[in-house]
Amino acid sequence: GNVDVRIKEKDIYAVLLSRTEPFFLTSDFELLKIHEFTAYSNIPVISNFRVSEKLSPSKIYKDEDIIEAFKIIDAAKITDIELAKKLSEIDLKNGGDVVLIFSGVNYPVVFGRGNESKKMIYLSLVWERINNFNTGFQKTEYIDLRFTNEAYIGSKENTGLI
């Protein structure tokens, strides 16, 4: 007889760093075991999320923190694909203000919570300005996007408003 086999590829959205072990997290919020020697790149890490239940492979894990992280990933992909590729970590600060880490950037972005799309557009514009005026922003220590319609650039010398 014939065998009908259907394979559905899972879309890996992020790596979830739990206290015990890391998991891949699919676009459907499914946890997948990361096997030894698995290589992955351009996938952001989600860290310091509030754990509401025991994590295990094949489980669907969709809570407020993870939804927030997914909104940030989606906003980055829609706003600026290069920005999305550089997003390396979403630190959820156990319910506090979200901090983003980008590869190739030596300072954090204090992102806060909510208004993900708007903040990502601001970040893209701020980085465009920083890249155009690179010399003036070499001492940047952080970018803060928690305030409505404003982006603060903190530096060793002073804090500037853009």
Side-chain angles (χ1 to χ4, degrees):
N2 291 339
V3 175
D4 187 20
V5 177
R6 295 177 194 264
I7 298 174
K8 182 183 177 215
E9 184 176 348
K10 299 193 184 259
D11 182 21
I12 306 298
Y13 227 63
V15 173
L16 196 62
L17 278 187
S18 72
R19 288 176 182 82
T20 54
E21 66 178 302
F23 292 94
F24 281 131
L25 190 58
T26 71
S27 57
D28 297 325
F29 300 92
E30 182 181 358
L31 296 172
L32 301 175
K33 184 174 180 59
I34 298 178
H35 294 283
E36 196 173 358
F37 305 115
T38 301
Y40 53 90
S41 62
N42 293 335
I43 301 172
V45 170
I46 299 171
S47 64
N48 296 315
F49 55 97
R50 294 171 284 190
V51 181
S52 57
E53 55 189 274
K54 186 175 179 349
L55 304 179
S56 59
S58 300
K59 188 175 203 166
I60 301 297
Y61 191 69
K62 184 177 181 179
D63 75 353
E64 186 182 336
D65 272 357
I66 302 307
I67 292 169
E68 176 76 20
F70 272 45
K71 286 179 180 178
I72 291 168
I73 294 167
D74 288 341
K77 287 180 179 179
I78 291 166
T79 303
D80 184 342
I81 199 66
E82 290 307 311
L83 192 74
K85 286 179 184 176
K86 290 181 178 183
L87 179 59
S88 60
E89 182 178 355
I90 301 168
D91 185 344
L92 293 165
K93 296 287 185 184
N94 297 302
D97 283 324
V98 176
V99 174
L100 306 181
I101 305 296
F102 291 86
S103 59
V105 179
N106 60 355
Y107 51 83
V109 175
V110 183
F111 200 76
R113 290 185 179 258
N115 297 315
E116 295 82 7
S117 297
K118 192 176 190 180
K119 288 179 182 178
M120 204 54 75
I121 290 168
Y122 278 135
L123 181 59
S124 181
L125 293 171
V126 166
W127 271 352
E128 188 177 307
R129 183 175 270 185
I130 286 174
N131 289 336
N132 289 341
F133 306 104
N134 202 9
T135 55
F137 295 103
Q138 289 177 341
K139 295 181 179 171
T140 299
E141 286 187 346
Y142 67 92
I143 294 177
D144 193 335
L145 299 171
R146 293 176 291 177
F147 307 99
T148 307
N149 300 325
E150 295 175 346
Y152 287 93
I153 298 177
S155 69
K156 293 176 182 150
E157 293 166 358
N158 63 355
T159 302
L161 179 64
I162 289 195

